Amino acid sequence: MIGWGTDEKAIIAVLGHRNAAQRRQIRHVYEEIYQEDLIKRLESELSGHFEKAVYRWILDPPDRDAVLANVELKKSGNKHHVIVEISCTKNPEELLAIRRAYHARYKRSLEEEVAYHTKGDTRRLLVALVSAFRYYGEEINTTLAKSEAKKLHEAIKDKKFGNEDVIRILSTRSIAQIQATFNCYREQEGTSITKNLPKDSSDEYIAMLRMAVRCLKDPKKYFEKVLRRSIEGIGTDEDALTRVIVTRAEKDLKEIKELYHKRNNVPLDKAVDKETSGDYKDMLLTLLGNEV
């Protein structure tokens, strides 16, 4: 970054191959040596989708999710993908760390921000999800799963999607218990719970409810679908594409890549190579495990 221009290839080569702990050490040592914040320097040197990808990647994971949540909440509209994703795919300690990071960065709680920017059943659902501290063990209660599967069925059948039991079950039960409940639902009804929820609803709450169920049911399938939708059709949704690759790179991106290949008959890296360009493309391909 010295002098005219920036060596983007070097930035990708260094940061793209380092894990969260190593990136944190690099930031700290950089600041000790040069008396400046590496993140702010990168922001001033880079631009566009490449800058966003590098910025999100270099942040500590909890801080990154706090930033993603804040950016989403400040946007006009009723899409709250990030809030649902961090609430339903993180373990309890990770979600707590995100809430602490949000509090430290923005001097407000994530819960109050979500409550302020939403209303009605959507507010009830999202505040409950983001405030959760679920049990994270594998133990399940089969009797409870059968009972709560029946409650979900009755609520869906009666179109009472905002029923307090629906929100309570999705926001308080452990992931293992919820998945057992979804399995019981399928056994009782002969179809999955997602198939019985309205699909192309313009109702904001129904859309968030479907998203939460899909995240809780099978996060890898959910993220594969987000990637597919970000790439297919006219134009590319770079925000969604970047978000999934950056946030899952140190989690389950390998399995998501395999699922994408299986479902679309094309490797994810080839799809990304076709739909993106320049340094942004090289950064994403590096996070996908390719040498560029």
Side-chain angles (χ1 to χ4, degrees):
M1 296 184 290
I2 294 175
W4 292 101
T6 306
D7 187 349
E8 288 87 356
K9 301 296 182 190
I11 290 171
I12 294 169
V14 173
L15 297 179
H17 296 92
R18 301 298 181 271
N19 63 32
Q22 292 168 331
R23 298 193 302 274
R24 188 182 311 118
Q25 288 179 318
I26 289 169
R27 293 200 315 269
H28 289 164
V29 174
Y30 184 95
E31 187 163 1
E32 286 178 3
I33 296 173
Y34 301 108
Q35 285 79 54
E36 70 174 343
D37 187 316
L38 176 57
I39 295 176
K40 289 182 179 178
R41 181 62 186 268
L42 286 168
E43 282 185 289
S44 70
E45 294 281 340
L46 310 178
S47 62
H49 298 303
F50 176 53
E51 183 269 324
K52 278 189 179 181
V54 172
Y55 175 69
R56 279 149 174 60
W57 178 243
I58 199 172
L59 289 172
D60 282 338
D63 213 27
R64 172 204 303 147
D65 287 323
V67 169
L68 287 170
N70 181 260
V71 169
E72 181 177 82
L73 288 168
K74 288 194 297 186
K75 287 181 180 177
S76 59
N78 56 7
K79 292 182 178 180
H80 303 289
H81 301 84
V82 173
I83 303 303
V84 174
E85 289 170 10
I86 66 175
S87 299
C88 298
T89 66
K90 305 291 184 182
N91 69 43
E93 293 296 341
E94 288 172 335
L95 179 55
L96 184 59
I98 294 165
R99 286 156 58 188
R100 284 175 172 155
Y102 197 100
H103 197 279
R105 181 176 274 265
Y106 300 109
K107 312 307 177 192
R108 297 181 298 277
S109 75
L110 179 55
E111 299 92 320
E112 71 175 297
E113 290 277 85
V114 171
Y116 179 76
H117 288 93
T118 56
K119 58 184 179 181
D121 288 338
T122 300
R123 175 188 288 165
R124 290 171 55 231
L125 175 65
L126 296 185
V127 170
L129 287 173
V130 84
S131 304
F133 191 82
R134 305 173 190 273
Y135 175 64
Y136 201 57
E138 294 299 318
E139 298 87 349
I140 60 170
N141 183 326
T142 305
T143 302
L144 179 64
K146 290 178 180 177
S147 169
E148 295 194 329
K150 188 175 180 181
K151 287 181 179 179
L152 291 175
H153 164 69
E154 289 171 351
I156 292 171
K157 181 188 69 173
D158 297 336
K159 301 189 185 304
K160 294 181 179 178
F161 304 110
N163 181 295
E164 64 179 21
D165 279 332
V166 174
I167 294 175
R168 174 185 60 79
I169 292 166
L170 296 183
S171 63
T172 65
R173 296 300 184 199
S174 71
I175 301 301
Q177 184 65 39
I178 287 175
Q179 291 177 349
T181 298
F182 290 164
N183 289 336
C184 287
Y185 185 100
R186 176 186 283 276
E187 291 171 6
Q188 293 170 8
E189 306 305 319
T191 188
S192 69
I193 185 169
T194 48
K195 292 279 175 56
N196 280 350
L197 288 170
K199 287 186 179 179
D200 300 318
S201 174
S202 58
D203 185 293
E204 176 189 17
Y205 172 71
I206 300 291
M208 294 302 101
L209 181 64
R210 274 184 62 81
M211 194 182 303
V213 168
R214 286 170 51 221
C215 282
L216 292 165
K217 188 169 178 278
D218 194 328
K220 294 181 187 69
K221 282 186 179 180
Y222 167 82
F223 285 117
E224 183 280 328
K225 193 168 186 177
V226 174
L227 285 173
R228 180 163 20 106
R229 286 182 171 177
S230 75
I231 293 171
E232 67 183 8
I234 300 172
T236 303
D237 183 348
E238 288 87 359
D239 282 346
L241 181 62
T242 303
R243 184 178 80 246
V244 175
I245 291 177
V246 167
T247 61
R248 308 314 294 182
E250 294 175 283
K251 291 278 190 181
D252 50 10
L253 187 56
K254 183 179 178 182
E255 293 93 330
I256 294 169
K257 283 171 59 180
E258 291 170 356
L259 185 59
Y260 184 95
H261 194 174
K262 181 179 178 181
R263 290 191 157 197
N264 302 281
N265 297 315
V266 61
L268 178 58
D269 51 1
K270 284 195 174 182
V272 170
D273 182 66
K274 181 182 176 183
E275 296 295 329
T276 58
S277 61
D279 297 316
Y280 174 59
K281 175 179 77 172
D282 290 345
M283 183 64 184
L284 295 188
L285 290 177
T286 298
L287 297 183
L288 285 168
N290 293 41
E291 293 298 326
V292 297

